[in-house]
Amino acid sequence: MFSDARLTNLIANTLALLAVSALVIGVVIWAVRRPYFNIERIQIESTQGEPLAYVTAEGVKATIAGRLQGNFFTVDLDQSRALIETAPWVRRAQIRRVWPNSLSVRIEEQQPLAYWNEDEMINTWGESFSANKAVVPDEMDLPQLSGPPNSERLVVQRYAELARWFGPLDVQVSEVTLSPRYAWDVVLSNGMQLSLGRDPAADIADPHGRKGALPFAVRVERFVQAWPALMQRLGDRALQSADLRYPNGFAITLAPVSSTPVK
């Protein structure tokens, strides 16, 4: 059967090649599994080139502890990136290998814009996220925004519009609430409460929306334009609330006059 020398040599060479290949593969597998290549260090830095304000190395390491799979050669970078992005205050992460047993992680932090609903925050991109509010500096006076699910961007847009309107009046927007039926309520930094009613621009998201309401900006503009004359007429009296839902004007409620006992 093996009388053909050329065939015999071919078979012998093939077997030898397979044996060498198996040996090389075995050596590679053995080397790859050496503890020398286990991930021992994770370098963390900011993508913005500035010191991280909210994300800490300890927080990231606590998130991935016991969950990072593989070594320098076998670690799944996409899976590791997704895992790191679950750490508090991390918005985006970029990850790469550093020879022979390290990972370099560049982090884009969440930039807080406001508190969102009861236990979340909202960033400057209009995205909600969960984070420890206790790390927010006391001097950072963030507003409280509230709204139905998936309304974050709309609420942030309206908050920005209100801030532009009331900024020149030296009044800040403290709270903005969008109800499940897409009606707006606002609280200013002086304690005044504003009722703005439904938002025609949100009708597409509101199955109960009513057409024909004044545009959001028109209602606010009308009140802001009347503000200087109104404050002048009221003198020392303060406004408690204003209802801007009327088609041809608005209604105001004055704050109670504090009575000082006469001694």
Side-chain angles (χ1 to χ4, degrees):
M1 180 177 179
F2 296 100
S3 57
D4 190 335
R6 296 177 63 182
L7 178 60
T8 301
N9 289 338
L10 178 61
I11 294 175
N13 290 339
T14 301
L15 292 175
L17 180 60
L18 291 174
V20 171
S21 299
L23 179 62
V24 170
I25 293 173
V27 170
V28 170
I29 294 175
W30 176 84
V32 166
R33 291 179 177 176
R34 294 303 87 200
Y36 178 71
F37 298 109
N38 290 345
I39 301 299
E40 299 291 344
R41 184 184 178 194
I42 299 178
Q43 306 168 5
I44 298 175
E45 61 182 1
S46 170
T47 58
Q48 288 90 352
E50 300 177 356
L52 294 169
Y54 305 105
V55 177
T56 64
E58 293 74 16
V60 173
K61 291 175 182 177
T63 299
I64 65 178
R67 303 170 64 189
L68 194 65
Q69 302 295 323
N71 59 20
F72 178 85
F73 296 102
T74 62
V75 64
D76 187 321
L77 294 185
D78 287 336
Q79 187 178 58
S80 301
R81 174 188 53 76
L83 178 60
I84 291 173
E85 288 177 351
T86 64
W89 291 97
V90 175
R91 181 175 184 259
R92 296 282 186 269
Q94 303 169 6
I95 186 170
R96 63 181 180 87
R97 297 178 176 88
V98 178
W99 178 266
N101 57 4
S102 301
L103 294 176
S104 174
V105 180
R106 302 187 70 216
I107 287 175
E108 177 187 351
E109 282 188 305
Q110 300 281 8
Q111 300 298 321
L113 173 70
Y115 299 110
W116 177 248
N117 289 336
E118 294 183 1
D119 55 1
E120 291 185 298
M121 301 190 74
I122 198 162
N123 63 25
T124 51
W125 294 273
E127 303 162 343
S128 59
F129 65 98
S130 298
N132 181 10
K133 300 178 182 179
V135 305
V136 178
D138 293 337
E139 61 271 16
M140 185 177 288
D141 189 16
L142 298 179
Q144 173 68 55
L145 306 183
S146 304
N150 303 317
S151 67
E152 292 92 336
R153 292 185 183 276
L154 176 61
V155 176
V156 168
Q157 177 184 342
R158 292 297 187 247
Y159 165 73
E161 294 172 5
L162 289 163
R164 286 195 297 269
W165 280 114
F166 287 100
L169 302 177
D170 198 27
V171 179
Q172 287 71 49
V173 179
S174 298
E175 299 180 23
V176 177
T177 301
L178 178 63
S179 74
R181 293 178 62 82
Y182 286 83
W184 296 96
D185 290 291
V186 177
V187 178
L188 302 179
S189 56
N190 58 7
M192 185 190 307
Q193 301 179 9
L194 304 179
S195 297
L196 279 79
R198 293 181 180 275
D199 188 350
D203 282 348
I204 189 172
D206 178 12
H208 306 290
R210 296 177 182 174
K211 305 297 182 180
L214 283 177
F216 183 90
V218 172
R219 281 172 273 171
V220 179
E221 181 181 14
R222 184 172 57 188
F223 181 70
V224 168
Q225 289 179 343
W227 178 285
L230 184 60
M231 293 299 104
Q232 187 175 9
R233 289 184 60 184
L234 292 178
D236 295 334
R237 295 295 302 273
L239 285 178
Q240 177 174 291
S241 64
D243 189 339
L244 313 186
R245 295 174 292 179
Y246 295 89
N248 299 313
F250 53 84
I252 61 173
T253 301
L254 298 180
V257 177
S258 59
S259 56
T260 304
V262 179
K263 295 182 180 180

